[in-house]
Amino acid sequence: MASETLAAALEREHREIDAGIEAFTASGGQETGPLKRALDALRRHIYLEEEFLFPPLRDGGLMAPVFVMLREHGEIWRAMDRLEGELGGEAGQATARELLAILERHNSKEEPILYPQADAVLTPEAAERLHGFIASGRTPEGWVCQGAGA
């Protein structure tokens, strides 16, 4: 089993994603590399939550919080799609700041409510699978989060 808790690993990913978006805004939109890496990481993060984390949490009685997170994932996904279409302009900067605000609201609920339950609710096998994905997993080509079209 990995020495880092699932909650700590997932929160670390949040910080890394935020840092990439912040680097883009700090550069005035000139440095798109950190943003592109952050958006790829965010899509992957949403995938791992929806495919590995949320089903056992939902089965463990956290249906309402998971539903809220799924809805917010759709909002995040649509903001990422807009941002990718606006790179390099003033609109891109505004959308990047909007995405950071959405993520701050989302993470402030997800981290204290769902993440602490991950290590308690997931079976050792499921936790190991999730740790493995965090370490080296990739989002399947063409995967879109559940709420993206809502």
Side-chain angles (χ1 to χ4, degrees):
M1 186 88 162
S3 61
E4 185 177 43
T5 66
L6 287 171
L10 295 165
E11 287 179 26
R12 178 179 39 78
E13 287 197 350
H14 281 177
R15 302 293 91 71
E16 292 168 355
I17 290 163
D18 291 349
I21 301 167
E22 290 164 353
F24 170 75
T25 59
S27 77
Q30 300 303 305
E31 297 295 325
T32 60
L35 176 67
K36 289 177 182 178
R37 286 187 295 277
L39 295 179
D40 287 345
L42 182 51
R43 289 184 193 283
R44 179 186 166 281
H45 184 82
I46 290 172
Y47 171 79
L48 77 84
E49 288 181 346
E50 292 193 9
E51 297 296 323
F52 295 95
L53 180 63
F54 290 174
L57 292 179
R58 188 176 41 242
D59 294 345
L62 294 167
M63 187 171 291
V66 167
F67 177 77
V68 170
M69 296 299 103
L70 290 170
R71 189 183 73 237
E72 290 181 3
H73 280 177
E75 179 184 12
I76 293 165
W77 200 275
R78 291 185 298 277
M80 286 190 292
D81 285 346
R82 279 194 322 278
L83 181 52
E84 288 175 329
E86 298 170 346
L87 287 181
E90 286 282 323
Q93 288 289 289
T95 303
R97 288 189 294 275
E98 175 190 343
L99 179 58
L100 281 169
I102 294 167
L103 289 172
E104 183 179 342
R105 287 190 306 272
H106 178 79
N107 296 347
S108 73
K109 292 177 275 199
E110 191 171 58
E111 290 176 3
I113 297 169
L114 292 182
Y115 286 179
Q117 296 300 311
D119 291 291
V121 172
L122 271 69
T123 65
E125 297 79 19
E128 193 61 38
R129 261 193 324 277
L130 183 49
H131 273 294
F133 188 86
I134 290 169
S136 62
R138 294 176 142 347
T139 308
E141 187 69 32
W143 186 87
V144 177
C145 78
Q146 291 181 31

